[in-house]
């Protein structure tokens, strides 16, 4: 659409989307002196961030420095070079490294609401690579009382899984609670969180952690900065002038089309295309086209499509933030993160064989699964594993829901051979695979795939064992769960430069248009540096784009 019509509303800067990238951009723009507006397609705010673990991977940020974990720029660059390679423009990697700490300092400077803590020893995803850190670089928001949001509390996108009244758990606490049946640290953490839940109920607080806390804290800061947020206001298209520069956008609000002029630019932060069947089929690689996404149901590629219509180039469109997952009978997606380090477990394909390190970073695991065309895939574990560790949100001592068995999601048998027959894999082969793995568990070394060699593998492992991710599978009953190629969102999107300005295929800038988050192609390329390497860059490039617009 061209600018040859009048405007219904005018501001300096419009942000499309209300996840972490959009809210950070809006706050930076407003603090930079721009009259700013956020428009959100959904009837709730928070995007996929509100459904996430809320981790933020930004090396050398102030929270880490206060913990004595300062980084040299050289180490960070060496690590990202090793993880990302040359798949992403070097200037974009430099921008992320250089502006990340400043963005976090900016957030802390805006007031008391934006506070974070180190995810203690949550390893980088590839700590063995040059510059990698076994102690990690991830931080998370402190617990937050949603009651501080007032009427906006009920407009926050709900978490995927509800927790009991008063109960709230941070990422750094979960790793201890996961070992509640195995370690005293786990038992102490259970007592502490239980008492905290009682206290929260008595004080009538609505405490939340993870992505809910991050969005809640950002929303309150944006609200206090005076930035309006329009919900139920999907972007219809971008408005350009005769030169191809973006001068505003068309939004559907209250059943009416509203033409909004954006004097300093529009920043697209409306998520990826994970919920678009058509775009998944068109762009994602074979093995990942079916939709088992844990991303927001509203992420249908709107910003990517709108950007492409005004000339933007696309990149990384065949890839995603892959995640081994399963879909419960009630339709809820469960992502398998800690479970893949359960010692008495393996993952096998249709042949009954292992095909990779089960405890590897989730994107790495699924890349191996897709490349080898391993489908179907089964998560196999024994009765002792069931009694020691949580699986799929079911704690030790709890029974697996009967619907899981009735639907065919889960199978249970008294022997490995019978389990193999039930799931349709060769019994002799599965028995041989289990026997071979048990030999590795006894020796303490996985000679096939190196499970447990990386500090990342062991983060969710059992610290009471000589090999935290390996133990023999020998105690019935035996279980198998059908796994799917899931994702947390898509990686592909609009190409952009170090200022978050959207680019055409010839490298020229689409004037007035910025992008961040999963609307933009991932600065992490085809890989994943550490926990929060989706959220961290989304916030950083939102901050960069807003500051560039304010300076212009």
């Amino acid at each position: 659409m061209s600018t040859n019509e009048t405007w219904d509303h005018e501001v300096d800067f419009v942000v499309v989307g209300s996840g972490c990238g959009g809210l950070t951009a809006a706050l930076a723009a407003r603090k930079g002196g721009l009259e700013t507006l956020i428009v959100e397609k959904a009837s709730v705010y928070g995007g996929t961030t509100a459904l996430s673990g809320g981790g933020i991977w930004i090396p050398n940020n102030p929270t880490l420095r206060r913990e004595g974990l300062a980084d040299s720029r050289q180490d960070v660059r060496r690590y990202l070079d090793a993880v990302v390679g040359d798949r992403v423009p070097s200037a974009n990697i430099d921008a992320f490294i250089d502006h990340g700490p400043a963005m976090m300092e900016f957030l802390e400077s805006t007031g008391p609401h934006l506070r974070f803590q180190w995810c203690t020893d949550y390893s980088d995803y590839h700590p063995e690579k040059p510059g990698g850190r076994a102690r990690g670089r991830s931080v998370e928001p402190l617990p937050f009382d949603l009651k501080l949001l007032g009427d906006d509390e009920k407009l926050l996108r709900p978490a995927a899984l509800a927790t009991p009244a008063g109960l709230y758990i941070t990422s750094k606490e979960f790793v201890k609670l996961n070992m509640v049946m195995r370690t005293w640290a786990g038992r102490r953490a259970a007592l502490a969180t239980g008492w905290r839940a009682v206290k929260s109920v008595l004080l009538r607080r609505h405490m939340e952690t993870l992505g809910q806390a991050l969005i809640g804290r950002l929303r309150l800061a944006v609200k206090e900065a005076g930035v309006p947020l329009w919900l139920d206001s999907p972007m219809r298209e971008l408005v350009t002038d005769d030169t191809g520069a973006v001068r505003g956008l068309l939004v559907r609000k209250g059943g009416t089309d509203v033409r909004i002029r954006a004097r300093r630019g529009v920043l697209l932060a409306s998520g990826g295309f994970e919920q678009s069947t058509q775009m998944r089929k068109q762009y994602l690689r074979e093995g990942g086209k079916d939709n088992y996404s844990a991303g927001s149901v509203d992420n249908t590629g709107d910003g990517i499509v709108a950007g492409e219509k005004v000339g933007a180039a696309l990149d990384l469109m065949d890839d995603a933030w892959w995640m081994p997952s399963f879909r419960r009978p009630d339709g809820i997606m469960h992502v398998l993160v800690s479970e893949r380090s359960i010692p008495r477990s393996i993952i096998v394909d249709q042949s009954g064989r292992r095909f990779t390190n089960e405890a590897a970073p989730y994107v790495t695991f699924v890349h191996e699964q897709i490349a080898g065309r391993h489908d179907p895939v089964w998560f196999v574990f024994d009765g002792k594993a069931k009694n020691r560790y949580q699986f799929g949100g079911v704690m030790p001592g709890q029974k697996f829901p009967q619907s899981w068995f009735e639907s065919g999601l889960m199978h249970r048998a008294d022997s490995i051979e019978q389990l193999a027959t039930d799931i349709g894999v060769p019994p002799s082969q599965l028995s041989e695979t289990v026997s071979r793995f048990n030999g590795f568990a006894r020796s303490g070394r996985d000679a096939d795939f190196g499970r447990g060699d990386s500090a990342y593998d062991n983060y969710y492992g059992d610290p009471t064992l000589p090999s935290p991710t390996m133990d023999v599978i020998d105690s019935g009953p035996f279980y198998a769960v059908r796994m799917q190629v899931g994702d947390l969102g898509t990686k592909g999107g609009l190409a952009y430069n170090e200022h978050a300005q959207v680019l055409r295929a010839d490298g020229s800038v689409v004037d007035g248009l910025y992008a961040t988050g999963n609307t933009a192609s991932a600065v992490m390329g085809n890989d994943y540096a550490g926990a929060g390497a989706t959220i961290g860059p989304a916030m950083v490039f939102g901050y960069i784009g807003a500051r560039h617009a304010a300076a212009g």
Side-chain angles (χ1 to χ4, degrees), residues 24-233:
T24 301
L27 187 60
R30 186 69 192 96
K31 295 296 184 179
L34 300 185
E35 182 184 0
T36 303
L37 169 67
I38 306 167
V39 297
E40 167 59 54
K41 169 185 182 180
S43 59
V44 290
Y45 63 87
T48 296
T49 309
L51 306 173
S52 74
I56 302 170
W57 194 86
I58 294 177
N60 214 31
N61 71 65
T63 301
L64 294 178
R65 296 199 302 267
R66 286 191 289 269
E67 293 283 352
L69 298 168
D71 253 319
S72 74
R73 190 187 187 285
Q74 181 182 14
D75 274 352
V76 178
R77 183 69 207 221
R78 287 172 61 228
Y79 180 59
L80 288 177
D81 282 345
V83 171
V84 179
D86 59 2
R87 188 61 186 83
V88 170
S90 181
N92 289 9
I93 296 176
D94 285 335
F96 171 69
I97 295 171
D98 294 334
H99 292 278
M103 184 277 295
M104 295 295 283
E105 290 163 5
F106 161 74
L107 292 182
E108 290 188 355
S109 74
T110 61
H113 304 308
L114 291 160
R115 295 292 181 267
F116 308 90
Q117 65 182 6
W118 175 38
C119 298
T120 310
D121 293 330
Y122 198 162
S123 171
D124 285 346
Y125 285 177
H126 303 282
E128 66 282 353
K129 290 186 180 293
R133 285 200 167 184
R135 303 200 71 191
R137 295 171 165 114
S138 301
V139 300
E140 64 178 332
L142 292 176
F144 179 68
D145 186 356
L146 296 183
K147 286 183 72 175
L148 295 173
L149 293 169
D151 291 341
D152 281 339
E153 178 183 358
K154 64 181 181 294
L155 299 175
L156 171 61
R157 183 180 295 277
L161 292 173
T163 53
L167 185 66
Y168 58 99
I169 301 167
T170 64
S171 176
K172 68 186 295 179
E173 290 167 337
F174 173 79
V175 70
K176 297 176 183 177
L177 286 168
N178 200 39
M179 292 292 129
V180 66
M181 303 298 292
R182 303 293 289 161
T183 67
W184 283 108
R187 297 177 189 110
R188 286 193 296 271
L191 288 172
T193 54
W195 161 243
R196 198 171 62 189
V198 172
K199 182 179 178 182
S200 180
V201 170
L202 291 175
L203 295 176
R204 299 183 179 181
R205 292 173 176 166
H206 296 172
M207 301 299 295
E208 282 289 356
T209 55
L210 311 178
Q212 294 275 295
L214 179 57
I215 290 297
R217 288 177 173 277
L218 283 167
R219 175 68 185 112
L220 186 55
V222 166
K223 184 178 182 179
E224 291 185 352
V227 179
L229 167 59
W230 292 2
L231 297 176
D232 291 307
S233 301

Side-chain angles (χ1 to χ4, degrees), residues 341 359 451-463 467-470:
S341 291
R451 175 166 158 180
D453 289 352
S454 172
Y456 172 78
D457 298 358
N458 295 321
Y459 177 72
Y460 285 115
D462 186 339
S467 301
T469 67
M470 292 194 295

Side-chain angles (χ1 to χ4, degrees), residues 285-287 355 364-374 485:
R285 58 191 69 177
E286 291 297 329
F355 56 89
T364 303
F365 178 95
V366 176
H367 277 156
E368 293 284 346
Q369 180 182 349
I370 290 176
R373 299 185 178 181
H374 302 287
V485 171

Side-chain angles (χ1 to χ4, degrees), residues 215-408:
I215 290 297
R217 288 177 173 277
L218 283 167
R219 175 68 185 112
L220 186 55
V222 166
K223 184 178 182 179
E224 291 185 352
V227 179
L229 167 59
W230 292 2
L231 297 176
D232 291 307
S233 301
M235 174 184 62
R236 299 281 297 276
E237 59 185 337
L238 295 165
V239 178
T240 58
D241 63 17
D242 293 339
T243 70
V246 171
R247 298 304 181 209
L249 69 165
L250 183 69
V251 168
R252 187 74 174 174
K253 184 176 189 293
T256 302
D257 286 344
V258 180
R259 284 171 52 86
I260 305 172
R261 183 185 181 193
R263 292 181 288 262
R264 294 292 186 88
V266 175
L267 183 137
L268 301 176
S270 52
F273 61 89
E274 59 268 21
Q275 301 294 353
S276 168
T277 300
Q278 182 271 321
M279 292 182 75
R280 291 186 75 97
K281 298 296 184 187
Q282 179 180 354
Y283 291 113
L284 292 182
R285 58 191 69 177
E286 291 297 329
K289 292 180 182 293
D290 292 338
N291 187 356
Y292 293 96
S293 181
S296 165
V297 295
D298 298 293
N299 289 351
T300 54
D302 306 350
I304 297 170
V305 171
E308 189 178 24
K309 283 183 178 178
V310 298
L314 306 181
D315 197 13
L316 289 167
M317 292 294 285
D318 67 333
D319 213 351
W321 303 98
W322 302 112
M323 173 64 76
S325 307
F326 67 85
R327 178 175 285 145
R328 302 184 340 183
D330 59 8
I332 293 176
M333 291 302 304
H334 183 86
V335 298
L336 293 165
V337 181
S338 66
E339 290 92 339
R340 291 178 301 105
S341 291
I342 289 176
R344 291 171 166 263
S345 71
I346 54 173
I347 296 173
V348 300
D349 65 7
Q350 65 272 29
S351 72
R353 296 180 175 88
R354 299 171 66 213
F355 56 89
T356 191
N357 168 16
E358 294 90 342
Y362 30 93
V363 167
T364 303
F365 178 95
V366 176
H367 277 156
E368 293 284 346
Q369 180 182 349
I370 290 176
R373 299 185 178 181
H374 302 287
D375 183 65
V377 168
W378 296 92
F379 193 114
V380 176
F381 57 102
D382 73 1
K384 279 191 178 179
K386 166 69 185 76
N387 294 331
R388 289 178 175 181
Y389 315 107
Q390 77 83 29
F391 182 90
V394 177
M395 298 301 292
Q398 288 183 304
K399 291 183 177 180
F400 288 121
Q402 187 60 30
S403 62
W404 290 18
F405 298 102
E406 293 171 349
S407 66

